[in-house]
Amino acid sequence: MSAERVPLSSANTALHTSSLSSQTSSLPLWDRISLWASENKAIVYTIAGVAVVISSAGVVYYLSDSRKAGTNDATEEKKRASKKERRKAKKEKEREQETPAAGSTVEPPVEQGNRAKAPTVEPDPSENLPQIDESTVESLSEQERKEYATKLKAAGNIAYGDKNYNEAIDLYGKAILCKPDPIFYSNRAACYNALGNWEKVVEDTSAAITLDSEYVKALNRRANAYEHLGKYSEALLDYTASCIIDQFRNEQSAQSVERLLKKVAEAKGKMILEGKERKLPSPSFVTNYLQSFRPRPPPEGLEETADLDENSGKGQLRAGLLAIAKKTGKGYENASAAFDKALELRDLGEHEALAYNMRGTFRYLRGENADALKDLTRSVELQPALSQSFIKRASMHLELGNREAAANDFEQALEQKKDDPDIFYHRAQLHFILGEFGEAAKDYQKSIDLDKDFIFSHIQLGVTQYKMGSIASSMATFRRCIKNFDKVPDVYNYYGELLLDQQKYQEAVEKFDTAVEMEKQTKPIGMNVLPLINKALALFQWKQDFQEAEKLCQKALIIDPECDIAVATMAQLLLQQGKVTDALKYFERAAELSRTEGEIVNALSYAEATRTQLEVQEKYPQLASRLQGMGPNMGAAIR
């Protein structure tokens, strides 16, 4: 099974990738994004084999934990604030009182206050307004311009409050003639916002931001307009800059970043998917998926010694099964082609259902879900007793979010073969993904009772116990695994992950090293690179040893260039070191390697976040140092 790490902090995995779980809404922004991405991707990988423990997607970017950290930082900053900074804060406070708020719902333009006052006759700002146009304003003194601008702005506020937006636009425009003030531009933008004239909103907020590049309200208002115009990347940039300036205290802006990241990623993801070449994922993924089913000897008539014409349907089916046994990228490509050829040549006899099963399996691995479902459905129609076809179809239904169809397939499989341990193992995966750990543990144990020699049932039971909080039981399960399966590298790798999660770094590294050495000895060509990646994560967490962690990831990528976990981990490590441009390349590569639309969107969410960080630094250089200064306090650790 594949080794995407299911985060220990997430008890429930959402099946739908369309939104973040409501249960995570109180978490900091990037914790939520990371959890969302890792949980949804965990569905794919848990289906594929053993769901493991530590989230390599858990590295968070420059927004992680920022609002919590920002509270303490802001206190210290206030103590050290210079007179200039205090004046700036005062100016911002005045804006909060004077300007209409961003968005489609606008606050009253002027703070009214709640103190009771004696009845007085206030002068009406709309009375005796100066007649201003481009020709008359030139004759006014600077003081007169300032006074007239104040009166015109006040009258504009009243008109705005009365929803006389066109009148307010005219008054704010005259105020701007007297004094080009960012507040006046932003207020006029609020009027255009109310009228739905988004191009004008962008025009006026841009003018305001030109006069004051850290005008948060104008940035938010322009971002809102960009979003209405479908310019999601521009909106994301403005909301991100606003969050940084405002030290992430505005939850609405932070949620907008989250929402827009997803919109941008989805739009780009659809384009990528339309032009994407359908190919197999990394050999590590394929190997782990295939080995999540118990090995069985070839059916009678397809043995290696059987006298078969290689150019017949049966000959090609056998060739595909033999190619799988090599556990290499080339072998899997050859197997996929052989299964396609077998069904083209036909004449498969009693092995036709198996041929559809295997072609459907490789179509699924290439992300061709619709065709894969057809093949697996044909397989169960031809031979219902081939329970593996029900199991694989159930896994596909689950990946597509159809829990009911998945559960129904498992029931049909049990009707055909009630003592098949694979059925219980994979049904346990369904329960695990849904956070139903008690039911998962029962099915894993049943799988073990039916076949105690299948290592992954034991491993997954230990992981499930760990997720349930039964740490002692989990560790005991893994110790028994080591005793009974002492020559299997996967045991040491996953046990090391549990130790790493408990911050037992030395022991974890030792287990990863053991797994690496065993992989070299048993699979020198197609070794599983996951122990290398896990060791990289351990060295980063333990010693902040970026150099060695990068070397290990690079080594993993030399062995398996298309291992998406290695690519994503490398991106995270580079980002942690501030190598944002390099990190972006790896995140984009991760998107290229993704199989399904959901996976692509997850990878692109990280890529777009990284790209936005670069754009903020380029467009708002004064924010770059502030952004970097937040890093050490963000909780941005690889977990």
Side-chain angles (χ1 to χ4, degrees), residues 611-623:
R611 191 192 318 281
T612 302
Q613 179 176 350
L614 279 172
E615 290 176 355
V616 167
Q617 292 176 343
E618 291 170 3
K619 191 168 184 179
Y620 303 100
Q622 76 277 14
L623 298 182

Side-chain angles (χ1 to χ4, degrees), residues 85-306:
E85 289 168 330
R86 288 197 293 271
R87 284 197 300 271
K88 184 177 179 181
K90 182 179 179 182
K91 182 179 178 183
E92 192 63 39
K93 185 176 180 181
E94 288 171 352
R95 284 198 191 126
E96 293 295 325
Q97 295 177 329
E98 293 178 352
T99 34
S104 56
T105 303
V106 192
E107 298 171 359
V110 180
E111 187 76 25
Q112 299 296 330
N114 296 318
R115 285 196 293 264
K117 295 182 180 179
T120 58
V121 179
E122 296 287 347
D124 185 350
S126 62
E127 293 180 0
N128 302 317
L129 285 175
Q131 297 302 309
I132 298 295
D133 57 37
E134 291 182 1
S135 60
T136 59
V137 75
E138 296 296 331
S139 63
L140 299 176
S141 67
E142 185 176 345
Q143 184 60 32
E144 285 175 324
R145 290 186 186 190
K146 184 176 180 181
E147 291 175 359
Y148 288 177
T150 301
K151 288 181 180 180
L152 289 162
K153 187 265 292 185
N157 286 351
I158 290 176
Y160 177 88
D162 292 338
K163 299 186 179 180
N164 295 325
Y165 300 122
N166 287 316
E167 181 184 348
I169 287 169
D170 181 63
L171 291 164
Y172 289 135
K174 290 177 179 178
I176 289 168
L177 285 175
C178 294
K179 180 187 176 186
D181 189 290
I183 291 175
F184 303 163
Y185 279 110
S186 185
N187 281 10
R188 190 169 68 178
C191 299
Y192 287 126
N193 188 97
L195 295 171
N197 191 336
W198 308 115
E199 295 286 358
K200 282 291 188 180
V201 174
V202 170
E203 184 180 316
D204 272 357
T205 50
S206 296
I209 293 164
T210 299
L211 293 168
D212 184 350
S213 61
E214 295 192 18
Y215 194 172
V216 169
K217 194 166 289 187
L219 282 164
N220 286 339
R221 189 164 282 142
R222 187 172 69 176
N224 178 65
Y226 276 141
E227 188 171 359
H228 277 88
L229 291 168
K231 297 181 178 181
Y232 301 133
S233 294
E234 291 88 341
L236 177 59
L237 178 62
D238 277 352
Y239 275 129
T240 302
S242 166
C243 283
I244 296 167
I245 295 166
D246 206 28
Q247 295 185 306
F248 311 96
R249 288 188 290 259
N250 187 323
E251 177 66 19
Q252 186 176 355
S253 296
Q255 288 175 353
S256 296
V257 171
E258 188 176 309
R259 182 183 67 254
L260 283 161
L261 267 177
K262 190 164 181 295
K263 278 189 176 182
V264 173
E266 284 178 339
K268 292 189 176 182
K270 282 183 171 63
M271 293 175 61
I272 289 175
L273 202 58
E274 288 173 2
K276 184 176 177 61
E277 177 191 359
R278 296 296 186 178
K279 62 180 183 178
L280 292 173
S282 74
S284 294
F285 185 103
V286 178
T287 298
N288 289 328
Y289 177 79
L290 295 175
Q291 73 182 15
S292 72
F293 295 90
R294 286 161 173 77
R296 304 180 191 277
E300 185 178 351
L302 295 179
E303 302 94 341
E304 190 171 359
T305 56

Side-chain angles (χ1 to χ4, degrees), residues 452-510:
K452 63 181 177 59
D453 295 328
F454 187 61
I455 178 59
F456 294 107
S457 295
H458 296 272
I459 289 174
Q460 188 64 7
L461 176 61
V463 172
T464 304
Q465 290 168 334
Y466 195 88
K467 295 280 287 183
M468 294 171 70
S470 302
I471 309 302
S473 297
S474 173
M475 303 308 279
T477 296
F478 271 93
R479 285 193 292 271
R480 285 195 299 273
C481 285
I482 288 177
K483 180 179 178 181
N484 297 325
F485 302 93
D486 61 322
K487 303 300 182 185
V488 180
D490 301 271
V491 176
Y492 297 91
N493 179 52
Y494 298 127
Y495 187 31
E497 291 201 354
L498 295 182
L499 294 167
L500 179 56
D501 191 69
Q502 297 171 67
Q503 298 181 2
K504 297 178 179 178
Y505 300 117
Q506 182 69 54
E507 293 178 68
V509 169
E510 289 172 1

Side-chain angles (χ1 to χ4, degrees), residues 297-599:
E300 185 178 351
L302 295 179
E303 302 94 341
E304 190 171 359
T305 56
D307 185 16
L308 292 173
D309 180 357
E310 289 299 319
N311 293 317
S312 67
K314 291 179 183 178
Q316 284 297 303
L317 180 56
R318 181 180 65 178
L321 296 174
L322 291 173
I324 285 176
K326 295 178 181 178
K327 297 184 178 182
T328 63
K330 184 65 175 175
Y332 293 137
E333 291 292 345
N334 291 340
S336 180
F339 296 137
D340 288 343
K341 189 70 174 175
L343 282 163
E344 287 176 17
L345 294 169
R346 314 299 298 178
D347 191 29
L348 290 159
E350 71 274 22
H351 303 305
E352 187 175 0
L354 176 61
Y356 275 108
N357 175 298
M358 297 312 300
R359 187 175 74 173
T361 299
F362 277 81
R363 282 180 164 179
Y364 163 68
L365 289 168
R366 289 196 299 266
E368 300 170 357
N369 287 349
D371 289 336
L373 275 173
K374 289 178 184 177
D375 278 352
L376 293 170
T377 298
R378 181 61 180 150
S379 178
V380 298
E381 289 171 352
L382 289 167
Q383 188 179 339
L386 187 58
S387 58
Q388 195 183 93
S389 296
F390 281 112
I391 295 170
K392 290 176 179 177
R393 192 172 71 172
S395 297
M396 289 190 60
H397 283 311
L398 186 58
E399 182 176 327
L400 295 170
N402 194 339
R403 175 182 177 179
E404 186 176 343
N408 185 55
D409 272 345
F410 283 122
E411 288 303 316
Q412 291 186 71
L414 285 169
E415 288 173 7
Q416 297 296 325
K417 203 170 184 180
K418 66 179 181 179
D419 291 330
D420 184 347
D422 274 348
I423 300 173
F424 291 98
Y425 174 79
H426 285 274
R427 189 173 70 173
Q429 302 291 70
L430 179 147
H431 291 306
F432 186 98
I433 289 167
L434 298 172
E436 299 165 356
F437 300 122
E439 293 301 312
K442 290 178 185 177
D443 273 351
Y444 288 131
Q445 187 59 59
K446 179 66 174 177
S447 177
I448 293 169
D449 293 341
L450 292 168
D451 177 11
K452 63 181 177 59
D453 295 328
F454 187 61
I455 178 59
F456 294 107
S457 295
H458 296 272
I459 289 174
Q460 188 64 7
L461 176 61
V463 172
T464 304
Q465 290 168 334
Y466 195 88
K467 295 280 287 183
M468 294 171 70
S470 302
I471 309 302
S473 297
S474 173
M475 303 308 279
T477 296
F478 271 93
R479 285 193 292 271
R480 285 195 299 273
C481 285
I482 288 177
K483 180 179 178 181
N484 297 325
F485 302 93
D486 61 322
K487 303 300 182 185
V488 180
D490 301 271
V491 176
Y492 297 91
N493 179 52
Y494 298 127
Y495 187 31
E497 291 201 354
L498 295 182
L499 294 167
L500 179 56
D501 191 69
Q502 297 171 67
Q503 298 181 2
K504 297 178 179 178
Y505 300 117
Q506 182 69 54
E507 293 178 68
V509 169
E510 289 172 1
K511 294 295 182 291
F512 296 142
D513 281 339
T514 301
V516 169
E517 289 306 312
M518 286 186 174
E519 288 284 350
K520 288 179 182 177
Q521 293 169 15
T522 58
K523 294 176 281 184
I525 298 177
M527 71 171 284
N528 189 340
V529 299
L530 296 170
L532 290 170
I533 301 168
N534 281 332
K535 183 178 178 182
L537 296 174
L539 291 175
F540 167 77
Q541 288 187 48
W542 184 15
K543 300 179 178 180
Q544 295 288 298
D545 192 342
F546 285 107
Q547 186 175 4
E548 185 60 27
E550 279 189 41
K551 283 182 181 178
L552 289 165
C553 285
Q554 292 286 13
K555 187 174 181 179
L557 287 169
I558 291 171
I559 297 168
D560 188 352
E562 301 205 341
C563 180
D564 55 345
I565 300 175
V567 171
T569 303
M570 189 68 178
Q572 307 275 19
L573 289 168
L574 290 167
L575 195 62
Q576 288 291 305
Q577 298 172 76
K579 300 175 181 177
V580 184
T581 303
D582 292 335
L584 178 58
K585 293 176 184 176
Y586 277 93
F587 281 125
E588 289 174 336
R589 175 65 176 150
E592 292 173 6
L593 294 173
S594 298
R595 293 171 50 252
T596 65
E597 184 175 355
E599 290 179 63

